[in-house]
Amino acid sequence: DTAVSQTPKYLVTQMGNDKSIKCEQNLGHDTMYWYKQDSKKFLKIMFSYNNKELIINETVPNRFSPKSPDKAHLNLHINSLELGDSAVYFCASSPVGGHTEAFFGQGTRLTVV
Amino acid sequence: GENVEQHPSTLSVQEGDSAVIKCTYSDSASNYFPWYKQELGKRPQLIIDIRSNVGEKKDQRIAVTLNKTAKHFSLHITETQPEDSAVYFCAANTGTASKLTFGTGTRLQVTL
């Protein structure tokens, strides 16, 4: 039974398009995140939500809009995709913010052509 | 904000040797320090973590040490095996503890 699942696993799209990535966790965690991993493997936090409320927005362009309909789901919508958005996007969740282990989803490899 | 530095960026060791990866952090209020292993094409997964009230923690061939005064912590892997080859990330939580900040990663290659 997958703990943190995100879809799709791969996403290839043209510049200028709008796309969404979905994430769900069945661990009952309060906190969910989006991380971006670039080609150099750097893992950078983008957003953090606690009980559906946005608590961290790490100066991400406003083309990126997260949405949390409930505490088990955190989706990421990206408008007007650019070449530089190509990366692996990881969703993660943790029981208590940064105090405890973050569990990662399998990642979504986004390629913008 | 929190800044986590990690060294080295790449590390090659022979099977059976030890590997050490070091991290420093900037936020003196940080109190949780996990280490993650990411195999090629896979998700990062926790391998060991340490809290600020402990100086060392071991789990079989893996150990982590923490020096709060100097604000650095290290991962030690003994008797390395080919399956230890992966990218390893250290992390530290912020003072507000609302997120984990990751180091830049170390690519460990264990050769036969």
Side-chain angles (χ1 to χ4, degrees):
Chain A
D1 211 13
T2 308
V4 182
S5 61
Q6 51 184 110
T7 55
K9 193 170 179 185
Y10 301 99
L11 190 49
V12 181
T13 188
Q14 290 190 322
M15 271 183 4
N17 282 352
D18 302 339
K19 289 292 177 188
S20 292
I21 307 171
K22 296 188 174 187
C23 179
E24 176 182 5
Q25 54 99 359
N26 61 5
L27 298 166
H29 291 168
D30 284 345
T31 307
M32 294 186 74
Y33 312 89
W34 279 108
Y35 281 88
K36 179 181 180 181
Q37 186 169 46
D38 62 22
S39 57
K40 292 184 179 177
K41 299 295 187 186
F42 297 153
L43 262 173
K44 288 209 68 176
I45 190 165
M46 300 172 69
F47 301 103
S48 173
Y49 270 72
N50 194 60
N51 261 317
K52 303 191 302 176
E53 282 192 34
L54 178 68
I55 53 173
I56 291 174
N57 179 341
E58 288 284 312
T59 59
V60 177
N62 58 15
R63 297 183 295 105
F64 290 78
S65 52
K67 276 197 172 57
S68 183
D70 55 60
K71 77 171 196 178
H73 295 84
L74 180 61
N75 304 322
L76 184 65
H77 188 74
I78 316 169
N79 287 327
S80 304
L81 278 155
E82 301 176 357
L83 292 177
D85 297 332
S86 297
V88 180
Y89 292 84
F90 285 100
C91 175
S93 73
S94 68
V96 187
H99 285 295
T100 51
E101 175 186 358
F103 292 78
F104 284 81
Q106 75 271 36
T108 296
R109 182 175 293 278
L110 172 65
T111 304
V112 183
V113 297
Chain B
E2 177 72 280
N3 186 38
V4 178
E5 293 191 1
Q6 182 171 346
H7 301 280
S9 56
T10 59
L11 180 57
S12 183
V13 299
Q14 283 201 317
E15 184 179 7
D17 286 351
S18 294
V20 180
I21 303 170
K22 298 184 179 185
C23 288
T24 59
Y25 62 97
S26 59
D27 189 340
S28 56
S30 296
N31 58 15
Y32 177 62
F33 308 92
W35 285 88
Y36 285 79
K37 176 183 180 183
Q38 186 179 25
E39 295 176 353
L40 191 62
K42 301 281 181 68
R43 73 191 80 192
Q45 292 195 286
L46 182 81
I47 53 171
I48 195 166
D49 55 12
I50 191 166
R51 296 190 183 276
S52 57
N53 57 347
V54 174
E56 184 176 0
K57 186 175 176 182
K58 276 185 185 177
D59 183 3
Q60 299 181 4
R61 297 186 296 109
I62 293 172
V64 58
T65 58
L66 171 66
N67 182 327
K68 280 212 75 179
T69 305
K71 293 201 205 117
H72 67 70
F73 56 115
S74 301
L75 177 72
H76 305 251
I77 306 174
T78 58
E79 300 170 31
T80 52
Q81 300 167 4
E83 51 265 37
D84 294 330
S85 296
V87 178
Y88 291 81
F89 293 95
C90 63
N93 62 353
T94 59
T96 58
S98 53
K99 67 176 183 181
L100 290 174
T101 297
F102 284 81
T104 48
T106 296
R107 187 177 297 278
L108 174 65
Q109 182 74 40
V110 180
T111 56
L112 296 171

CSV table of all heavy atoms in Angstrom, one decimal, chain A residues 35-70:
chain,number,residue,atom,x,y,z
A,35,TYR,N,8.9,19.4,-3.3
A,35,TYR,CA,10.3,19.7,-3.5
A,35,TYR,C,10.6,19.6,-5.0
A,35,TYR,O,10.0,18.8,-5.7
A,35,TYR,CB,11.2,18.6,-2.8
A,35,TYR,CG,11.4,18.8,-1.3
A,35,TYR,CD1,10.5,18.3,-0.4
A,35,TYR,CD2,12.5,19.6,-0.8
A,35,TYR,CE1,10.6,18.5,1.0
A,35,TYR,CE2,12.6,19.8,0.6
A,35,TYR,CZ,11.7,19.2,1.4
A,35,TYR,OH,11.9,19.4,2.8
A,36,LYS,N,11.6,20.4,-5.4
A,36,LYS,CA,12.1,20.3,-6.8
A,36,LYS,C,13.5,19.8,-6.8
A,36,LYS,O,14.4,20.3,-6.0
A,36,LYS,CB,12.0,21.7,-7.4
A,36,LYS,CG,12.5,21.7,-8.9
A,36,LYS,CD,12.5,23.2,-9.4
A,36,LYS,CE,13.0,23.2,-10.9
A,36,LYS,NZ,12.9,24.6,-11.4
A,37,GLN,N,13.8,18.8,-7.6
A,37,GLN,CA,15.2,18.3,-7.7
A,37,GLN,C,15.7,18.5,-9.2
A,37,GLN,O,15.1,18.0,-10.1
A,37,GLN,CB,15.2,16.8,-7.4
A,37,GLN,CG,16.7,16.3,-7.4
A,37,GLN,CD,16.8,14.9,-6.8
A,37,GLN,OE1,16.0,14.0,-7.2
A,37,GLN,NE2,17.7,14.7,-5.9
A,38,ASP,N,16.7,19.4,-9.3
A,38,ASP,CA,17.1,19.7,-10.6
A,38,ASP,C,18.2,18.7,-11.1
A,38,ASP,O,18.4,17.7,-10.5
A,38,ASP,CB,17.7,21.2,-10.6
A,38,ASP,CG,18.9,21.3,-9.7
A,38,ASP,OD1,19.6,20.3,-9.3
A,38,ASP,OD2,19.2,22.4,-9.2
A,39,SER,N,18.7,19.0,-12.3
A,39,SER,CA,19.7,18.0,-12.9
A,39,SER,C,20.9,17.8,-12.1
A,39,SER,O,21.6,16.8,-12.2
A,39,SER,CB,20.0,18.5,-14.3
A,39,SER,OG,20.6,19.8,-14.2
A,40,LYS,N,21.3,18.7,-11.2
A,40,LYS,CA,22.4,18.5,-10.3
A,40,LYS,C,22.0,17.8,-9.0
A,40,LYS,O,22.9,17.7,-8.1
A,40,LYS,CB,23.0,19.9,-10.0
A,40,LYS,CG,23.7,20.6,-11.2
A,40,LYS,CD,24.4,21.8,-10.8
A,40,LYS,CE,25.1,22.5,-12.0
A,40,LYS,NZ,25.7,23.8,-11.6
A,41,LYS,N,20.8,17.4,-9.0
A,41,LYS,CA,20.3,16.6,-7.8
A,41,LYS,C,20.0,17.4,-6.6
A,41,LYS,O,19.7,16.9,-5.5
A,41,LYS,CB,21.3,15.4,-7.4
A,41,LYS,CG,21.5,14.5,-8.6
A,41,LYS,CD,20.2,13.7,-8.9
A,41,LYS,CE,20.4,12.6,-9.9
A,41,LYS,NZ,19.2,12.0,-10.3
A,42,PHE,N,20.1,18.8,-6.7
A,42,PHE,CA,19.8,19.6,-5.5
A,42,PHE,C,18.3,19.4,-5.2
A,42,PHE,O,17.4,19.5,-6.1
A,42,PHE,CB,20.1,21.0,-5.8
A,42,PHE,CG,21.5,21.3,-6.0
A,42,PHE,CD1,21.9,22.4,-6.7
A,42,PHE,CD2,22.5,20.5,-5.5
A,42,PHE,CE1,23.3,22.7,-7.0
A,42,PHE,CE2,23.9,20.8,-5.7
A,42,PHE,CZ,24.2,21.9,-6.4
A,43,LEU,N,18.0,19.2,-3.9
A,43,LEU,CA,16.6,19.1,-3.5
A,43,LEU,C,16.2,20.4,-2.8
A,43,LEU,O,16.6,20.7,-1.7
A,43,LEU,CB,16.5,18.0,-2.4
A,43,LEU,CG,16.0,16.6,-2.8
A,43,LEU,CD1,16.2,15.6,-1.7
A,43,LEU,CD2,14.6,16.6,-3.3
A,44,LYS,N,15.3,21.1,-3.4
A,44,LYS,CA,14.9,22.4,-2.9
A,44,LYS,C,13.4,22.4,-2.6
A,44,LYS,O,12.6,22.1,-3.4
A,44,LYS,CB,15.2,23.5,-3.9
A,44,LYS,CG,16.7,23.9,-4.0
A,44,LYS,CD,16.9,25.3,-4.4
A,44,LYS,CE,16.5,26.2,-3.3
A,44,LYS,NZ,16.8,27.6,-3.5
A,45,ILE,N,13.1,22.9,-1.4
A,45,ILE,CA,11.7,23.0,-1.0
A,45,ILE,C,11.0,24.1,-1.8
A,45,ILE,O,11.6,25.1,-2.0
A,45,ILE,CB,11.5,23.1,0.5
A,45,ILE,CG1,10.1,22.9,0.9
A,45,ILE,CG2,12.1,24.5,1.0
A,45,ILE,CD1,9.8,22.7,2.4
A,46,MET,N,9.8,23.8,-2.2
A,46,MET,CA,9.0,24.8,-2.9
A,46,MET,C,7.9,25.3,-2.0
A,46,MET,O,7.7,26.5,-1.7
A,46,MET,CB,8.4,24.3,-4.1
A,46,MET,CG,9.4,23.7,-5.2
A,46,MET,SD,8.6,22.9,-6.5
A,46,MET,CE,7.8,24.2,-7.3
A,47,PHE,N,7.1,24.4,-1.4
A,47,PHE,CA,5.9,24.7,-0.6
A,47,PHE,C,5.8,23.8,0.5
A,47,PHE,O,6.2,22.6,0.4
A,47,PHE,CB,4.6,24.7,-1.4
A,47,PHE,CG,4.6,25.6,-2.6
A,47,PHE,CD1,4.8,25.0,-3.9
A,47,PHE,CD2,4.3,26.9,-2.5
A,47,PHE,CE1,4.7,25.9,-5.0
A,47,PHE,CE2,4.3,27.7,-3.6
A,47,PHE,CZ,4.5,27.2,-4.9
A,48,SER,N,5.2,24.3,1.6
A,48,SER,CA,4.9,23.4,2.7
A,48,SER,C,3.5,23.8,3.2
A,48,SER,O,3.1,24.9,3.3
A,48,SER,CB,5.9,23.6,3.9
A,48,SER,OG,5.4,22.9,5.0
A,49,TYR,N,2.6,22.7,3.4
A,49,TYR,CA,1.3,22.9,3.9
A,49,TYR,C,1.1,22.2,5.2
A,49,TYR,O,1.6,21.0,5.3
A,49,TYR,CB,0.3,22.3,2.9
A,49,TYR,CG,-0.2,23.3,1.8
A,49,TYR,CD1,0.7,23.7,0.8
A,49,TYR,CD2,-1.5,23.8,1.8
A,49,TYR,CE1,0.3,24.6,-0.2
A,49,TYR,CE2,-1.9,24.7,0.9
A,49,TYR,CZ,-1.0,25.1,-0.1
A,49,TYR,OH,-1.4,26.0,-1.1
A,50,ASN,N,0.4,22.8,6.1
A,50,ASN,CA,0.1,22.1,7.3
A,50,ASN,C,-1.4,22.1,7.5
A,50,ASN,O,-2.0,23.2,7.6
A,50,ASN,CB,0.8,22.7,8.5
A,50,ASN,CG,0.7,21.9,9.8
A,50,ASN,OD1,1.2,20.7,9.7
A,50,ASN,ND2,0.1,22.3,10.8
A,51,ASN,N,-2.1,21.0,7.5
A,51,ASN,CA,-3.5,20.9,7.7
A,51,ASN,C,-4.2,21.8,6.7
A,51,ASN,O,-5.1,22.6,7.0
A,51,ASN,CB,-4.0,21.3,9.1
A,51,ASN,CG,-4.2,20.0,9.9
A,51,ASN,OD1,-4.8,19.1,9.4
A,51,ASN,ND2,-3.8,20.1,11.1
A,52,LYS,N,-3.8,21.7,5.4
A,52,LYS,CA,-4.4,22.4,4.3
A,52,LYS,C,-4.0,23.9,4.2
A,52,LYS,O,-4.4,24.5,3.2
A,52,LYS,CB,-6.0,22.3,4.3
A,52,LYS,CG,-6.6,21.0,4.3
A,52,LYS,CD,-8.1,21.0,4.0
A,52,LYS,CE,-8.8,21.9,5.0
A,52,LYS,NZ,-10.3,22.0,4.7
A,53,GLU,N,-3.2,24.3,5.1
A,53,GLU,CA,-2.9,25.7,5.1
A,53,GLU,C,-1.4,25.9,4.6
A,53,GLU,O,-0.5,25.2,5.1
A,53,GLU,CB,-3.0,26.4,6.5
A,53,GLU,CG,-4.4,26.7,6.8
A,53,GLU,CD,-4.5,27.6,8.1
A,53,GLU,OE1,-3.6,28.4,8.3
A,53,GLU,OE2,-5.5,27.4,8.8
A,54,LEU,N,-1.2,26.9,3.7
A,54,LEU,CA,0.1,27.1,3.2
A,54,LEU,C,1.0,27.8,4.3
A,54,LEU,O,0.6,28.8,4.9
A,54,LEU,CB,0.1,28.1,2.0
A,54,LEU,CG,1.4,28.5,1.4
A,54,LEU,CD1,2.1,27.4,0.8
A,54,LEU,CD2,1.2,29.7,0.4
A,55,ILE,N,2.1,27.2,4.6
A,55,ILE,CA,3.0,27.8,5.7
A,55,ILE,C,4.3,28.2,5.1
A,55,ILE,O,5.0,29.0,5.7
A,55,ILE,CB,3.1,26.9,6.9
A,55,ILE,CG1,3.6,25.5,6.5
A,55,ILE,CG2,1.8,26.8,7.7
A,55,ILE,CD1,3.9,24.6,7.7
A,56,ILE,N,4.7,27.6,4.0
A,56,ILE,CA,6.0,28.0,3.4
A,56,ILE,C,5.8,28.2,1.9
A,56,ILE,O,5.3,27.3,1.2
A,56,ILE,CB,7.1,27.0,3.7
A,56,ILE,CG1,7.5,27.0,5.1
A,56,ILE,CG2,8.3,27.3,2.8
A,56,ILE,CD1,8.5,25.9,5.5
A,57,ASN,N,6.3,29.3,1.3
A,57,ASN,CA,6.4,29.5,-0.1
A,57,ASN,C,7.8,30.0,-0.3
A,57,ASN,O,8.0,31.2,0.0
A,57,ASN,CB,5.3,30.5,-0.6
A,57,ASN,CG,5.4,30.7,-2.1
A,57,ASN,OD1,6.4,30.5,-2.7
A,57,ASN,ND2,4.3,31.2,-2.6
A,58,GLU,N,8.6,29.2,-0.9
A,58,GLU,CA,10.0,29.5,-1.0
A,58,GLU,C,10.3,30.3,-2.2
A,58,GLU,O,11.0,29.9,-3.1
A,58,GLU,CB,10.9,28.3,-0.9
A,58,GLU,CG,11.0,27.6,0.4
A,58,GLU,CD,11.9,28.4,1.4
A,58,GLU,OE1,13.0,28.7,1.0
A,58,GLU,OE2,11.5,28.6,2.5
A,59,THR,N,9.8,31.5,-2.3
A,59,THR,CA,10.0,32.4,-3.5
A,59,THR,C,9.9,31.7,-4.8
A,59,THR,O,10.8,31.8,-5.7
A,59,THR,CB,11.3,33.2,-3.4
A,59,THR,OG1,12.4,32.2,-3.3
A,59,THR,CG2,11.4,34.0,-2.2
A,60,VAL,N,8.9,30.9,-4.9
A,60,VAL,CA,8.6,30.2,-6.2
A,60,VAL,C,7.8,31.1,-7.1
A,60,VAL,O,6.9,31.8,-6.6
A,60,VAL,CB,7.8,28.9,-5.9
A,60,VAL,CG1,7.5,28.2,-7.1
A,60,VAL,CG2,8.6,28.0,-4.9
A,61,PRO,N,8.1,31.1,-8.4
A,61,PRO,CA,7.3,32.0,-9.3
A,61,PRO,C,5.8,31.7,-9.2
A,61,PRO,O,5.4,30.6,-8.9
A,61,PRO,CB,7.8,31.5,-10.7
A,61,PRO,CG,9.2,31.0,-10.5
A,61,PRO,CD,9.1,30.4,-9.1
A,62,ASN,N,5.0,32.7,-9.3
A,62,ASN,CA,3.6,32.5,-9.1
A,62,ASN,C,2.9,31.8,-10.2
A,62,ASN,O,1.7,31.6,-10.2
A,62,ASN,CB,2.9,33.9,-8.8
A,62,ASN,CG,3.1,34.8,-10.0
A,62,ASN,OD1,3.5,34.5,-11.1
A,62,ASN,ND2,2.8,36.1,-9.7
A,63,ARG,N,3.7,31.3,-11.2
A,63,ARG,CA,3.2,30.3,-12.2
A,63,ARG,C,2.9,29.0,-11.5
A,63,ARG,O,2.2,28.1,-12.1
A,63,ARG,CB,4.2,30.1,-13.3
A,63,ARG,CG,4.5,31.3,-14.2
A,63,ARG,CD,5.4,31.0,-15.3
A,63,ARG,NE,6.7,30.6,-14.9
A,63,ARG,CZ,7.2,29.3,-14.9
A,63,ARG,NH1,6.4,28.4,-15.3
A,63,ARG,NH2,8.4,29.0,-14.5
A,64,PHE,N,3.5,28.8,-10.4
A,64,PHE,CA,3.3,27.5,-9.6
A,64,PHE,C,2.3,27.8,-8.5
A,64,PHE,O,2.5,28.7,-7.7
A,64,PHE,CB,4.6,27.1,-8.9
A,64,PHE,CG,5.7,26.6,-9.9
A,64,PHE,CD1,6.4,27.5,-10.6
A,64,PHE,CD2,5.9,25.3,-10.0
A,64,PHE,CE1,7.4,27.1,-11.5
A,64,PHE,CE2,6.9,24.8,-10.9
A,64,PHE,CZ,7.7,25.7,-11.6
A,65,SER,N,1.2,27.0,-8.6
A,65,SER,CA,0.1,27.2,-7.6
A,65,SER,C,-0.2,25.9,-7.0
A,65,SER,O,-0.8,25.0,-7.6
A,65,SER,CB,-1.1,27.9,-8.2
A,65,SER,OG,-1.5,27.2,-9.4
A,66,PRO,N,0.1,25.7,-5.7
A,66,PRO,CA,-0.3,24.5,-5.0
A,66,PRO,C,-1.7,24.6,-4.5
A,66,PRO,O,-2.2,25.7,-4.3
A,66,PRO,CB,0.7,24.5,-3.8
A,66,PRO,CG,1.0,25.9,-3.5
A,66,PRO,CD,0.8,26.7,-4.8
A,67,LYS,N,-2.4,23.4,-4.4
A,67,LYS,CA,-3.7,23.4,-3.8
A,67,LYS,C,-3.9,22.2,-2.9
A,67,LYS,O,-3.5,21.1,-3.3
A,67,LYS,CB,-4.8,23.4,-4.9
A,67,LYS,CG,-5.1,24.8,-5.5
A,67,LYS,CD,-6.4,24.7,-6.3
A,67,LYS,CE,-6.8,26.1,-6.7
A,67,LYS,NZ,-5.9,26.8,-7.5
A,68,SER,N,-4.4,22.4,-1.8
A,68,SER,CA,-4.6,21.3,-0.8
A,68,SER,C,-6.1,21.2,-0.5
A,68,SER,O,-6.6,21.9,0.4
A,68,SER,CB,-3.8,21.5,0.4
A,68,SER,OG,-3.9,20.5,1.3
A,69,PRO,N,-6.9,20.4,-1.2
A,69,PRO,CA,-8.3,20.3,-0.9
A,69,PRO,C,-8.6,19.7,0.5
A,69,PRO,O,-9.6,20.0,1.1
A,69,PRO,CB,-8.8,19.4,-2.0
A,69,PRO,CG,-7.6,18.6,-2.5
A,69,PRO,CD,-6.4,19.5,-2.3
A,70,ASP,N,-7.7,18.8,1.0
A,70,ASP,CA,-7.8,18.3,2.3
A,70,ASP,C,-6.4,17.9,2.8
A,70,ASP,O,-5.4,17.9,1.9
A,70,ASP,CB,-8.7,17.1,2.4
A,70,ASP,CG,-8.4,16.0,1.4
A,70,ASP,OD1,-7.3,15.5,1.5
A,70,ASP,OD2,-9.2,15.7,0.5
